[in-house]
Amino acid sequence: MSSTAAAAEPKSEQEILSTYRQMQSEMQSLVQQLTKFELERNEHRLVEETLEPLDPDRRAFRLVGGVLVERTVKEVLPTVREHRSNLDNLVQSLKERLDSKQKEAAAWKAKYNIKTQEEMEASNRQ
């Protein structure tokens, strides 16, 4: 869809459902990205917790661009902290985007009275 078509009101039921499915797909993609970066953030936190009690002059190895580089704990720890902080910000940003997209999809669903198959089955049982 072009940007002008996305801004215009959809005319057919198929366009409405297509837009809703696209929103669902975008939300799924955001959830996958969020999960990936949360795992990476947790790995950084574990490394940070492991390095903190160590002697600052102790050797530490860090993987940089596929190359294992020897450094000291005092050189590696600030970098790990900075990366974890950046990941914290990224995770927060992704959560906000996901929340916004969920609200947008819910509004679209309510506006056009879209029901999932589970919702249809539940209403048929009653």
Side-chain angles (χ1 to χ4, degrees):
M1 250 191 240
S2 69
S3 60
T4 55
E9 280 294 311
K11 294 177 180 38
S12 72
E13 185 176 315
Q14 193 142 17
E15 289 174 331
I16 292 168
L17 289 176
S18 173
T19 302
Y20 181 70
R21 286 187 186 114
Q22 181 181 358
M23 288 177 182
Q24 294 287 69
S25 175
E26 289 171 14
M27 286 189 303
Q28 184 63 32
S29 173
L30 285 172
V31 167
Q32 289 172 348
Q33 289 177 2
L34 186 61
T35 302
K36 174 182 144 190
F37 289 123
E38 282 179 334
L39 286 172
E40 196 169 328
R41 178 182 64 177
N42 290 338
E43 287 177 9
H44 277 72
R45 185 173 48 243
L46 282 173
V47 170
E48 188 177 338
E49 290 171 358
T50 302
L51 291 178
E52 280 177 344
L54 299 178
D55 175 30
D57 293 323
R58 183 176 174 164
R59 288 189 306 173
F61 293 90
R62 182 167 176 246
L63 196 61
V64 178
V67 177
L68 198 58
V69 180
E70 182 179 344
R71 299 276 186 246
T72 62
V73 170
K74 68 181 175 193
E75 294 171 329
V76 171
L77 195 53
T79 305
V80 171
R81 285 184 177 138
E82 181 183 341
H83 285 172
R84 189 181 54 83
S85 175
N86 291 341
L87 286 168
D88 286 339
N89 294 338
L90 180 61
V91 164
Q92 185 62 34
S93 170
L94 283 173
K95 283 181 180 179
E96 290 168 3
R97 284 178 48 200
L98 179 61
D99 191 42
S100 169
K101 187 57 75 173
Q102 286 172 333
K103 288 176 182 173
E104 182 183 345
W108 187 266
K109 185 176 178 181
K111 180 178 179 180
Y112 292 104
N113 197 25
I114 298 171
K115 293 189 179 188
T116 62
Q117 186 156 358
E118 292 86 16
E119 292 170 335
M120 293 292 285
E121 289 171 0
S123 65
N124 288 341
R125 283 187 218 136
Q126 294 175 354

